[in-house]
Amino acid sequence: MSEPNLLYTDVEDDLRASVRDLLADRADGAAVLGRVESAEPHDLGLWRTLAADLGVTSLHVPESLGGQGAGYRETAVVAEELGRSVAPVPFLGSAVLATAALLRVSDDEHARSALAKLAAGDATAALVVPLSAWPGSPLPSVRAEGGGLVGTVRSVADAAVADLLVVPADDGLHLVEAGAARVTPVVSLDLTRPVADVEFSGAASVRVSGSAAAAVDAALLTGAGVLASEQVGVAQWCLDTTVAYLKERYQFGRPVGSFQALKHRLADLWQELVLARAAARYAADRLAAGDQDAPIAVSVAQSLCAAVAVHAAEECVQLHGGIGMTWEHPAHLYLKRAKADEIALGTPGRHRAVLAPLVDLPG
Amino acid sequence: MSEELRERVAALLAAHDPATTDRLEFLRARFDAGLAWVHFPVGLGGLGAARGDQRIVDEELAKAGAPDNNPRRIGIGLGMAAPTILAFGADEQKRRFLRPLWTGEEVWCQLFSEPGAGSDLAALGTRARRDGDDWVVTGQKVWTSTAHTARWAILVARTDPDVPKHAGMTYFVCDMTDPGVEVRPLRQITGEAEFNEVFLTEVRIPDAHRLGAVGDGWRVAQTTLMNERVAIGGRPVPREGGMIGVVADAWRANPERRTPEAHDRLVKLWVESEALRLAGTRLRQQLAAGSPGPEGSAMKLAFARLAQTLSGFEVELLAEDGLRYDDWTLRRPELVDFTGREAGYRYLRAKGNSIEGGTSEILRNIIAERILGLPSEPRVDKDVPWKDLPK
Ligand SMILES: Cc1cc2nc3c(=O)[nH]c(=O)nc-3n(C[C@H](O)[C@H](O)[C@H](O)COP(=O)(O)OP(=O)(O)OC[C@H]3O[C@@H](n4cnc5c(N)ncnc54)[C@H](O)[C@@H]3O)c2cc1C
């Protein structure tokens, strides 16, 4: 096996630049704060532009299924940029989790037609599992009964804006039009990725052939791997913003960034980010390659990146002092995203438990 | 002493049955009986007893179902203003302010920090000019907790810009109902506006409301800050009091969410919380009387770290419930309650614990320089007149 490329390719850098430009224009701190305080916290206008103009929904969908046939490396770059701006768009729920589940069962014609719509940006989907689920975790208990699907799933990411619900049930994977379920947005810790409860009481659905468990596992693995790049983006914003602030904030007649105690803290954070980025890139690369090392790569990345993002966001608040505790400064949006991301798709502890047997470290 | 205290409590209860006495009337009677804060002097709500003896009084009164003074509503008055007034106030000031402060009839806030002067409090620029028997104060304060409920404030202002910054400040009691005081809510990451921006425009403060000498504000403020840090981080707590208790209860209530890895972390945090509690007890025993020193400040460092780690652990433990929040509505709370509401709130509020009352970085400097005696960093601002400092 040739050594995996852990750098960004030119194509990836170009993609990053386009996404970053758009987000700088449409999702700066003030815009995001205004949006999440509004009655419609998801920015669907921005989401449509991301899908239509930049094709972020079709990157890793094969050309035969209406996608661009790029790969998870590119998807991860988009996730990184979206993390950097905590843009409130349903990328993780729809373009990553729901899409990855459907890709796994794409022999089925219903799955294929749903994928085509998602890739084209004509529809948005959510995978109906709690955002806290991790690869291998027990599945929620939605049952297929005579009259349709029955059951409730709590804390589902991006469900509030989904047109289509991808639902693992006891007899397989189902597709449900959002209108057939009761989707209740809940007040969420992460203002920029609100979760919702999804309730089925006899919902009409289409059953997709293939294993629900395999589809969900593939989605959770992919999602966890891509999420690591989002966490790198969150951490990078926190570091950059803090460094800039400590250069300009004066106390005791000097920039507070000139105090060695703070310089060392930021140097440590930078070092953590070096490791996190390497792990996240490797996970994206192995997912792209469909490699058997992907589960190890993903669990390594999640064990590390989740904690780095939380640490970076906590340092960002702390080192901004009183301003960091205020609503008007965007630091809290990153803190809330980082903390929710730590739970999302498996905590670092869960991922270490998944990893240990894979690398022959029995407990 | 303890027998005598019990007798006094019994006498108070006999004369003012809590079941039938108005709450405020009871609290006033308790103050007058010297049972408010027993280590305060006779006549000012105390008996000149040891601090530790307060526990006896509190326990006896709690047993009898007596009302308390709702300390979470008046924390700044109890923890900061009162010890400063006691240490520096004139007799008349002590008599005027301490009783309604303790009973909660008058809430206090702390007008110290400014946009440009947080850690470097001595850089503050709110200006107080002498005008006959009054001082006229203009400036802006920020992050002022509970200013919206406060009747009085402790205020530090610059009275002499021509001398080095530590020398030109004076400490006042500011009337929050003065027409020149404007309080605007400042929303916090929790969604609430517990703190405020306070704009002072030609606020008139009688010289009789000055605490300590003109130009001695820094020394007076140090007393407030030392007490503040003990009030935040060094309160006596029973085993599993505070954040560890909340998190331990969450653990007990969630057997299906336990993992060996999380268990190990929790038990470590439990041990540290217990040790911190014992260290607080040791400190109070050393400090039988007088003002807390730098060791007291250091307690807040460990307190903040534990409160943050524990509340973060709880959010993580709650998994899909940790992704939820109770309410982002902008409210102006009456109480400051670190362990109130739900896990997400506690996690976010705890972030303030390492910033309010002196940041953890500043506390580390205090430990390093004042306890360990390590040399301080070169100072560029110590001997320069305040007006010439870079801003
Ligand atoms: C919840 C809350 C409640 C508050 N309530 C009140 C109140 O009621 N009344 C009031 O007056 N104030 C209040 N404050 C303000 C608080 O005292 C200040 O925020 C605090 O002192 C820090 O000042 P700053 O915000 O200006 O941060 P800065 O001083 O600008 O500090 C920025 C960062 O630099 C670090 N830093 C600064 N100097 C050094 C140094 N020499 N060495 C190493 N690191 C350094 C700090 O630790 C911090 O991380 C409150 C703050 C909070 C968060």
Side-chain angles (χ1 to χ4, degrees):
Chain A
M1 182 183 85
S2 64
E3 193 173 59
N5 176 11
L6 300 185
L7 303 177
Y8 300 102
T9 65
D10 292 343
V11 174
E12 288 161 8
D13 277 336
D14 289 346
L15 175 64
R16 174 200 305 288
S18 329
V19 176
R20 188 175 289 192
D21 278 353
L22 176 67
L23 294 175
D25 198 31
R26 302 268 295 272
D28 66 2
V32 172
L33 193 56
R35 165 62 57 182
V36 301
E37 285 182 291
S38 75
E40 289 170 358
H42 281 93
D43 188 344
L44 293 181
L46 174 62
W47 176 233
R48 276 189 287 274
T49 309
L50 280 163
D53 295 1
L54 301 180
V56 304
T57 47
S58 61
L59 284 168
H60 55 265
V61 177
E63 287 173 73
S64 60
L65 296 172
Q68 301 177 52
Y72 287 113
R73 292 177 55 100
E74 289 81 355
T75 305
V77 168
V78 174
E80 209 181 302
E81 289 307 308
L82 290 172
R84 204 170 153 278
S85 84
V86 287
V89 293
F91 182 75
L92 184 71
S94 185
V96 181
L97 290 170
T99 300
L102 291 172
L103 280 171
R104 183 61 204 249
V105 291
S106 61
D107 288 343
D108 181 281
E109 68 173 294
H110 300 293
R112 276 204 305 280
S113 90
L115 272 171
K117 279 194 227 157
L118 298 189
D122 293 338
T124 296
L127 177 67
V128 183
V129 297
L131 179 57
S132 51
W134 67 94
S137 66
L139 288 185
S141 51
V142 175
R143 298 180 315 280
E145 296 186 348
L149 297 184
V150 177
T152 301
V153 184
R154 298 172 76 241
S155 301
V156 180
D158 298 329
V161 291
D163 310 300
L164 183 68
L165 302 172
V166 180
V167 189
D170 55 356
D171 71 337
L173 199 65
H174 290 248
L175 300 178
V176 178
E177 296 292 332
R182 198 157 112 190
V183 179
T184 313
V186 295
V187 181
S188 303
L189 176 65
D190 181 0
L191 293 153
T192 58
R193 182 180 288 137
V195 293
D197 293 343
V198 181
E199 191 185 332
F200 305 99
S201 30
S205 69
V206 177
R207 196 170 85 85
V208 174
S209 56
S211 154
V216 171
D217 264 356
L220 294 177
L221 184 72
T222 305
V226 173
L227 186 65
S229 285
E230 175 180 309
Q231 289 160 331
V232 167
V234 167
Q236 187 71 56
W237 183 91
C238 292
L239 176 62
D240 293 348
T241 304
T242 308
V243 168
Y245 183 67
L246 295 196
K247 285 179 187 169
E248 74 190 28
R249 173 68 171 170
Y250 270 67
Q251 291 285 275
F252 306 101
R254 52 193 265 197
V256 288
S258 71
F259 289 109
Q260 214 167 57
L262 300 193
K263 280 199 274 204
H264 286 185
R265 293 255 290 272
L266 292 176
D268 282 343
L269 197 53
W270 178 87
Q271 179 70 77
E272 285 178 37
L273 248 163
V274 167
L275 304 195
R277 189 183 302 280
R281 277 277 86 194
Y282 183 63
D285 184 78
R286 291 300 84 191
L287 286 170
D291 187 79
Q292 62 184 21
D293 208 34
I296 290 178
V298 167
S299 276
V300 167
Q302 268 303 305
S303 306
L304 204 77
C305 297
V308 173
V310 170
H311 185 211
E314 292 183 342
E315 287 288 61
C316 183
V317 169
Q318 175 64 22
L319 296 178
H320 277 76
I323 288 170
M325 273 300 280
T326 60
W327 185 268
E328 64 199 276
H329 192 283
H332 68 103
L333 299 174
Y334 291 81
L335 179 67
K336 291 162 188 174
R337 170 64 69 84
K339 193 65 191 171
D341 275 3
E342 185 184 46
I343 295 170
L345 307 175
T347 60
R350 294 283 186 198
H351 280 281
R352 282 195 289 274
V354 169
L355 176 66
L358 298 179
V359 294
D360 191 23
L361 292 172
Chain B
M1 190 67 200
S2 63
E3 247 340 282
E4 192 198 321
L5 278 178
R6 284 200 180 84
E7 278 164 26
R8 280 176 181 271
V9 172
L12 171 70
L13 289 168
H16 307 271
D17 178 359
T20 54
T21 311
D22 169 68
R23 174 175 176 276
L24 200 54
E25 198 183 310
F26 183 87
L27 292 172
R28 288 176 181 156
R30 177 175 165 188
F31 187 94
D32 297 338
L35 297 169
W37 31 32
V38 294
H39 64 288
F40 270 50
V42 175
L44 296 174
L47 298 166
R51 258 174 215 269
D53 289 343
Q54 187 66 42
R55 207 169 39 92
I56 302 168
V57 175
D58 292 349
E59 279 169 10
E60 292 290 311
L61 287 172
K63 256 192 273 169
D68 72 8
N69 59 350
N70 200 354
R72 289 173 310 169
R73 203 177 136 254
I74 53 173
I76 293 175
L78 292 175
M80 301 160 222
T84 312
I85 292 169
L86 183 67
F88 290 94
D91 288 345
E92 171 51 31
Q93 292 171 328
K94 294 179 194 167
R95 273 195 304 276
R96 163 63 187 88
F97 292 125
L98 289 175
R99 190 173 184 253
L101 179 159
W102 186 86
T103 58
E105 287 161 86
E106 292 179 346
V107 176
W108 288 67
C109 70
Q110 178 191 22
L111 292 172
F112 280 25
S113 305
E114 299 181 3
S119 296
D120 187 10
L121 176 64
L124 61 84
T126 291
R127 192 72 170 88
R129 286 172 220 274
R130 187 77 194 235
D131 180 28
D133 283 343
D134 289 346
W135 295 84
V136 181
V137 181
T138 296
Q140 189 204 329
K141 298 289 178 176
V142 71
W143 308 306
T144 319
S145 304
T146 61
H148 51 286
T149 56
R151 171 70 178 81
W152 298 102
I154 42 178
L155 164 76
V156 193
R158 184 147 312 274
T159 40
D160 186 354
D162 297 321
V163 294
K165 61 181 185 178
H166 291 96
M169 291 179 288
T170 303
Y171 198 115
F172 299 97
V173 170
C174 173
D175 182 346
M176 293 297 283
T177 65
D178 185 285
V181 176
E182 191 201 339
V183 178
R184 294 188 200 156
L186 182 56
R187 199 174 183 189
Q188 247 149 293
I189 67 177
T190 55
E192 292 185 334
E194 179 193 299
F195 53 30
N196 301 269
E197 295 178 289
V198 178
F199 296 85
L200 306 170
T201 312
E202 311 220 330
V203 176
R204 293 196 84 85
I205 299 181
D207 189 53
H209 285 180
R210 172 166 50 78
L211 278 184
V214 174
D216 209 18
W218 179 248
R219 197 162 65 94
V220 184
Q222 286 307 304
T223 298
T224 307
L225 291 175
M226 300 272 199
N227 278 285
E228 173 169 22
R229 290 162 193 162
V230 173
I232 295 176
R235 259 186 291 242
V237 279
R239 174 173 288 170
E240 279 197 19
M243 202 68 92
I244 183 63
V246 177
V247 178
D249 285 345
W251 180 267
R252 292 177 188 122
N254 282 279
E256 73 292 350
R257 287 179 165 148
R258 296 176 196 156
T259 64
E261 179 259 359
H263 189 234
D264 192 42
R265 275 154 69 203
L266 176 65
V267 178
K268 273 190 194 137
L269 291 167
W270 196 97
V271 168
E272 286 184 66
S273 302
E274 175 68 0
L276 178 64
R277 185 178 81 81
L278 297 172
T281 306
R282 272 195 90 228
L283 190 73
R284 271 185 302 281
Q285 290 169 353
Q286 284 164 358
L287 261 183
S291 272
E295 290 81 0
S297 299
M299 294 295 291
K300 182 178 160 284
L301 181 63
F303 164 82
R305 184 178 53 78
L306 274 170
Q308 292 172 351
T309 312
L310 280 162
S311 58
F313 173 90
E314 188 189 6
V315 170
E316 199 187 319
L317 175 73
L318 293 181
E320 68 186 57
D321 288 311
L323 295 168
R324 304 156 90 98
Y325 196 74
D326 56 356
D327 188 4
W328 293 117
T329 311
L330 170 57
R331 278 202 233 100
R332 301 179 88 183
E334 290 247 321
L335 304 179
V336 176
D337 188 359
F338 297 158
T339 54
R341 289 179 55 176
E342 292 185 4
Y345 173 83
R346 291 191 283 273
Y347 172 69
L348 295 173
R349 182 60 187 81
K351 293 285 165 263
N353 292 157
S354 53
I355 300 172
E356 58 202 317
T359 68
S360 288
E361 291 72 37
I362 294 301
L363 296 182
R364 289 189 187 96
N365 286 342
I366 289 175
I367 295 172
E369 293 171 18
R370 306 248 284 274
I371 301 180
L372 302 178
L374 289 162
S376 61
E377 304 223 7
R379 289 293 292 268
V380 293
D381 57 341
K382 267 214 141 132
D383 304 315
V384 187
W386 177 82
K387 66 177 184 344
D388 299 328
L389 287 174
K391 304 249 160 44

